[in-house]
Amino acid sequence: MSRKSEVDRAIGFQGPSRIPIWVDGGNLRNSDVLTYDLSMGDEDNPRLSEWGFERLRSPSGDWLIPKAATLPEWQDVDAYQAPPMNSARRLAGIAKAATVCGDRYRIASFGMSGFSIYRALRGAELSAVDFLIESDRFIELMELIFDFEVAFFDLLSRKGFHAIEFCDDWGDRATSRVTLSLWRTMLKAYYARQFRRAKESGLHVWFSTPSQCAEFFGDLKEIGADVVRVDAPYDVELASLGRAFRGKLCFAVRLDEIVGETNDDLSLVQHIYECLATKDGGFIATVADGVNADRINKIVRLVNKLTPPMI
């Protein structure tokens, strides 16, 4: 089977012949997936995002939300416009990617999306209360972000992508005021519309959010998510997560968070696999951007030793 077919079968619980591996970033040798980053820097100042906030990345390559507000006043929000699609510049790397892609499954990733963009624009403090104090303006800015993202779906499908990855974060669950019930009331319908449009364009929906937001997974499944990313498996009650969603959601699990330079604990990786996968699939082994080749090879060897679940 092609590498894309292995990923499709894992997502669809159709019995892949092996566990697909997603190495995010440029080290593709062992990866069944190619990731294409849709985010761009400002043309005049590459330190800034095209949205206007500072571009910050963690050591593992994840985009970080800056603390300072880019749009601190509502008059700033009222005058704000979404970035241009600028498709020619944004997709200029496709030709180069095509030379190494081969038969891999292709994901286009926003890098940061939805409420994460909102938080980057309004800052941590303001974004935590906007929906309570100025709900109409909150929704207007969120709609601007959602509409910008939706506008890409048909184009990405025509360019040969198989999935769109949303990367969102509703804040630290210990302090965030974006509770699941509030999200359901104010934002769920907008995410549902996005997911529906993506699927109408022929794209799978992948959703990356901090593992502490696992309480949202059921709703994400309900509105059409195909794959959710578990970026910190040690932060999640895996048995409970598996009981709730095993066989219903496909999990992309970051194993580089578990497997270190010298750690060859096959039993721990086997436990994660058995909690979240079925004998018919539902599991994609994931490695973050920036992990060195030796560690990737070690993860691949461990994954190839895993014993499929019995059910």
Side-chain angles (χ1 to χ4, degrees):
M1 288 189 290
S2 70
R3 286 174 285 200
K4 176 186 180 297
S5 294
E6 297 285 9
V7 177
D8 283 335
R9 286 176 176 268
I11 294 172
F13 297 93
Q14 296 173 330
S17 64
R18 57 180 175 78
I19 301 170
I21 296 176
W22 174 23
V23 181
D24 200 359
N27 198 339
L28 285 178
R29 187 170 69 87
N30 291 301
S31 184
D32 296 300
V33 178
L34 178 141
T35 313
Y36 187 93
D37 186 4
L38 294 171
S39 67
M40 296 197 305
D42 182 87
E43 287 195 84
D44 298 322
N45 184 355
R47 289 184 61 254
L48 298 180
S49 158
E50 60 186 319
W51 293 90
F53 53 79
E54 188 177 4
R55 284 162 63 94
L56 303 172
R57 302 195 82 160
S58 70
S60 64
D62 297 323
W63 291 110
L64 300 176
I65 299 171
K67 295 181 179 180
T70 302
L71 306 175
E73 305 295 336
W74 283 119
Q75 62 187 21
D76 301 324
V77 175
D78 293 339
Y80 185 75
Q81 294 183 337
M85 284 188 66
N86 202 343
S87 302
R89 177 175 170 236
R90 194 180 305 274
L91 301 181
I94 286 182
K96 181 178 179 181
T99 64
V100 297
C101 182
D103 62 351
R104 291 180 174 87
Y105 184 97
R106 298 183 287 278
I107 298 175
S109 176
F110 284 118
M112 189 185 291
S113 63
F115 188 58
S116 289
I117 297 288
Y118 189 100
R119 291 175 64 200
L121 291 172
R122 286 287 288 161
E125 293 185 10
L126 294 173
S127 63
V129 296
D130 281 352
F131 47 84
L132 301 174
I133 299 173
E134 292 279 2
S135 58
D136 289 345
R137 279 173 151 164
F138 167 76
I139 289 297
E140 285 178 3
L141 183 52
M142 283 300 304
E143 284 183 328
L144 179 146
I145 296 167
F146 283 133
D147 289 346
F148 172 83
E149 293 167 355
V150 167
F152 286 97
F153 297 162
D154 288 340
L155 174 62
L156 293 172
S157 183
R158 292 196 303 271
K159 291 293 185 180
F161 287 97
H162 306 121
I164 181 70
E165 183 197 23
F166 299 96
C167 304
D168 209 340
D169 181 358
W170 299 293
D172 179 21
R173 305 321 299 151
T175 60
S176 177
R177 297 178 184 176
V178 185
T179 62
L180 179 57
S181 59
L182 183 60
W183 181 85
R184 286 170 173 168
T185 300
M186 300 197 70
L187 291 174
K188 183 176 180 178
Y190 293 96
Y191 285 89
R193 184 189 70 185
Q194 272 196 317
F195 289 13
R196 184 171 61 252
R197 281 288 298 112
K199 288 177 172 293
E200 289 170 353
S201 298
L203 300 170
H204 281 144
V205 173
W206 294 48
F207 206 95
S208 294
T209 191
S211 296
Q212 59 181 323
C213 293
E215 63 189 294
F216 289 79
F217 285 5
D219 287 69
L220 293 174
K221 170 59 180 175
E222 179 189 327
I223 62 177
D226 297 292
V227 182
V228 293
R229 182 166 172 171
V230 179
D231 66 338
Y234 50 77
D235 275 348
V236 182
E237 175 44 61
L238 292 171
S240 298
L241 191 65
R243 284 193 297 270
F245 304 119
R246 187 169 175 261
K248 301 174 184 177
L249 274 171
C250 180
F251 294 97
V253 184
R254 271 191 62 184
L255 295 184
D256 61 284
E257 288 289 312
I258 297 295
V259 180
E261 295 290 345
T262 59
N263 177 15
D264 281 323
D265 192 348
L266 177 61
S267 62
L268 178 56
V269 180
Q270 181 73 43
H271 170 70
I272 295 171
Y273 181 45
E274 290 179 349
C275 282
L276 300 180
T278 76
K279 65 181 179 61
D280 295 317
F283 191 93
I284 297 170
T286 303
V287 181
D289 190 10
V291 175
N292 66 51
D294 288 342
R295 195 160 157 215
I296 293 173
N297 290 335
K298 182 176 295 184
I299 292 169
V300 171
R301 289 195 297 270
L302 286 177
V303 168
N304 288 337
K305 293 178 182 178
L306 295 177
T307 304
M310 297 299 293
I311 58 174

